[in-house]
Amino acid sequence: MEKLVITGGNSLNGKVDISGAKNAAVAILPAAIIAATGLCIIDNIPDIDDVHCIERIIENLGCKVKVSANSVIIDSSSLNSYNANTEDVRKMRASYYLIGALLARFKKARVEMPGGCAIGVRPIDQHIKGFEALGAKVTIEHGSVFVEAEKLIGTNIFFDVVSVGATINVMLAATLAEGTTVLENAAKEPHVVDVANFLNSMGANIKGAGTDIIRITGVEELTGCSYSVIPDQIEAGTYMIAAAACGGEVTINNVIPKHLESISAKLIEMGVEIFENGDSVTVKSNKNLKGVNVKTLPYPGFPTDVQQPMSTLLCISEGRSLINESIWESRFKHIDELKKMGANVKLEGRTAIIDGVDRLTGAIVKATDLRAGAAMIIAGLVAEGNTEVLDIEHIDRGYPHIENKFNALGAHITRVSIK
Ligand code: EPU
């Protein structure tokens, strides 16, 4: 086990390169197994534990997976199992994409119920509704989802809630279905568009991704392709917020500024200066920031995955801020940890009422989930004295080389083994 030890108080200055998007990569890798022929050569893959976990899972199903630096080459012609039931499958949320992908490839899938961050009830009823509408029979037995269809036939599906996972999963299943599938009330997140673009590069016929109506016309087969994953909106947002909190001037490279608009708009409202330049944004902050209200919403609204880092920033901003978390009901577990460092926050249901304090002080805290971990690192960077962040395996699931990237900006973070 390891922990991060942070000495706070430094401003952040310089440049940081953003990696490929976690939530795109963990869907694109399962999507690659639909290709019965040809190689998928995928670039800009982030070096994170969730990606390594999915790579092991698809290898275990019979695919040949060759990883080098930030690329992966997948040969799915040798895929020979529709049973995904290893410890890795149970451990991560995105393993549910194997259901849609295996259903497309074999008309059959057995996948253990997915795990992931404990941020609220995480139902998959909308995924199941979509598979059933396409003609599959779905049963849940012995902790696994079993899906089987004689054939999949395109149809209209109206999702009851906007779900990234259900939109992508049903899109995967529909790629080889007969006729046209229309997904209404679809999620519009950048990674939904990225997965659709990847599938189209493999020969799928998907139109409308990025709007709330996606049309998928089934094709005979998908084949390998070359593709590069989009930059990570959430990693970029995390560094933007860290720069705002610590003060200084940080240029965040390899981003799509359009994907960051809701985050930039909030930071500007607080008094941060932001300059866009092609595929980078520069964040300049003098740390004298005022509190704002934030409501998390599906894209293009303020992302729930940036809410926790943002809450740290609001803890040290002037006046009262309110955060309303509308996506996940338990995404405030980090607040107790922030309080150990002197934050003044009250929780009322899905709302956090934050009264800004002049300073946070170093403490021993936990990363209760992935983005909570990022929130605690930012807290440690601004706090007086030393902070120890425990349970950092959650952080390693989704942030590549986080201490190296921060240290290159002037932070002081050390990774220490715990015996
Ligand atoms: N929902 C349902 N039924 C479903 C599916 C979802 O009611 O069948 C509800 C959920 O309970 C939630 C809302 O719909 O209230 C949105 O859930 P969504 O399906 O969009 O979430 P997800 O696909 O499980 C992905 C990301 C999360 C991110 C959410 C929202 C991946 C692997 N995970 O989860 O990312 O918070 O979308 O944008 O893509 C993270 O990266 O830290 C993370 C948790």
Side-chain angles (χ1 to χ4, degrees):
M1 278 204 305
E2 292 176 321
K3 63 183 176 184
L4 294 177
V5 180
I6 306 170
T7 305
N10 293 1
S11 62
L12 298 182
N13 290 284
K15 295 177 181 162
V16 59
D17 290 333
I18 295 306
S19 302
K22 160 188 167 279
N23 288 343
V26 297
I28 283 174
L29 295 172
I33 73 173
I34 306 176
T37 55
L39 298 181
C40 286
I41 303 164
I42 310 166
D43 205 10
N44 207 28
I45 290 279
D47 183 9
I48 51 174
D49 286 353
D50 269 8
V51 158
H52 303 314
C53 194
I54 286 275
E55 287 166 350
R56 285 193 301 271
I57 293 170
I58 61 177
E59 202 161 28
N60 205 270
L61 292 171
C63 296
K64 295 193 186 80
V65 179
K66 200 167 150 215
V67 180
S68 57
N70 291 330
S71 308
V72 59
I73 302 174
I74 301 172
D75 177 355
S76 306
S77 60
S78 49
L79 178 71
N80 55 26
S81 170
Y82 63 86
N83 260 311
N85 58 5
T86 56
E87 174 61 25
D88 281 329
V89 178
R90 285 189 288 278
K91 201 154 78 183
M92 70 177 303
R93 190 72 193 155
S95 50
Y96 55 33
Y97 291 132
L98 294 163
I99 310 173
L102 288 167
L103 185 60
R105 178 83 187 263
F106 291 138
K107 308 279 174 290
K108 218 181 201 184
R110 189 189 301 277
V111 178
E112 290 231 19
M113 290 293 270
C117 282
I119 52 180
V121 183
R122 301 188 76 172
I124 56 164
D125 57 298
Q126 297 304 302
H127 305 231
I128 292 173
K129 169 175 159 165
F131 299 141
E132 286 178 341
L134 291 172
K137 184 165 179 292
V138 183
T139 38
I140 297 184
E141 49 190 26
H142 307 298
S144 293
V145 185
F146 180 58
V147 203
E148 190 173 25
E150 239 164 65
K151 49 180 163 175
L152 296 167
I153 299 175
T155 184
N156 277 32
I157 299 162
F158 196 109
F159 291 117
D160 301 332
V161 294
V162 178
S163 161
V164 169
T167 303
I168 293 178
N169 222 347
V170 180
M171 196 161 78
L172 297 177
T175 47
L176 305 184
E178 282 176 23
T180 299
T181 302
V182 181
L183 305 182
E184 295 189 61
N185 200 23
K188 296 182 279 200
E189 269 65 6
H191 35 289
V192 173
V193 180
D194 207 37
V195 179
N197 287 341
F198 174 68
L199 290 166
N200 283 341
S201 302
M202 290 202 294
N205 182 351
I206 302 174
K207 295 201 169 82
T211 75
D212 44 24
I213 303 184
I214 301 179
R215 286 191 168 74
I216 307 134
T217 302
V219 296
E220 285 291 313
E221 61 161 13
L222 300 187
T223 56
C225 69
S226 293
Y227 196 76
S228 182
V229 176
I230 51 163
D232 197 310
Q233 174 205 24
I234 308 304
E235 190 196 16
T238 303
Y239 284 95
M240 290 170 79
I241 290 166
C246 296
E249 185 169 332
V250 176
T251 296
I252 297 159
N253 287 327
N254 184 32
V255 298
I256 299 174
K258 175 96 192 129
H259 295 167
L260 303 172
E261 275 175 355
S262 63
I263 303 162
S264 299
K266 271 296 152 199
L267 292 176
I268 290 167
E269 199 181 323
M270 297 178 74
V272 180
E273 288 181 84
I274 297 190
F275 311 95
E276 285 181 20
N277 186 6
D279 64 355
S280 71
V281 291
T282 297
V283 176
K284 197 172 165 190
S285 161
N286 63 8
K287 299 209 293 186
N288 294 321
L289 304 177
K290 59 174 192 294
V292 290
N293 297 336
V294 173
K295 180 173 173 122
T296 64
L297 286 170
Y299 189 82
F302 192 91
T304 170
D305 296 343
V306 181
Q307 177 263 108
Q308 291 157 301
M310 188 66 173
S311 65
T312 302
L313 177 62
L314 296 176
C315 284
I316 48 157
S317 299
E318 193 194 328
R320 175 164 285 195
S321 302
L322 301 179
I323 297 183
N324 181 257
E325 171 54 64
S326 83
I327 312 287
W328 301 114
E329 67 275 20
S330 307
R331 216 170 193 180
F332 282 133
K333 290 190 183 139
H334 63 299
I335 296 293
D336 278 343
E337 304 302 304
L338 286 171
K339 283 185 180 172
K340 291 180 192 162
M341 301 177 73
N344 182 0
V345 187
K346 273 200 262 346
L347 288 179
E348 281 183 13
R350 286 178 169 229
T351 302
I353 304 160
I354 303 176
D355 285 309
V357 293
D358 290 339
R359 60 180 197 141
L360 295 177
T361 52
I364 299 176
V365 292
K366 282 186 190 149
T368 52
D369 58 69
L370 166 60
R371 309 299 173 189
M376 299 325 298
I377 290 179
I378 297 172
L381 291 174
V382 297
E384 279 178 25
N386 282 353
T387 296
E388 292 189 13
V389 184
L390 310 179
D391 295 348
I392 59 170
E393 62 281 3
H394 293 295
I395 302 174
D396 293 335
R397 284 186 35 219
Y399 285 98
H401 313 291
I402 193 160
E403 71 272 28
N404 299 344
K405 288 192 184 189
F406 271 123
N407 287 343
L409 295 172
H412 195 280
I413 307 180
T414 319
R415 185 177 285 258
V416 177
S417 303
I418 311 174
K419 294 191 179 81

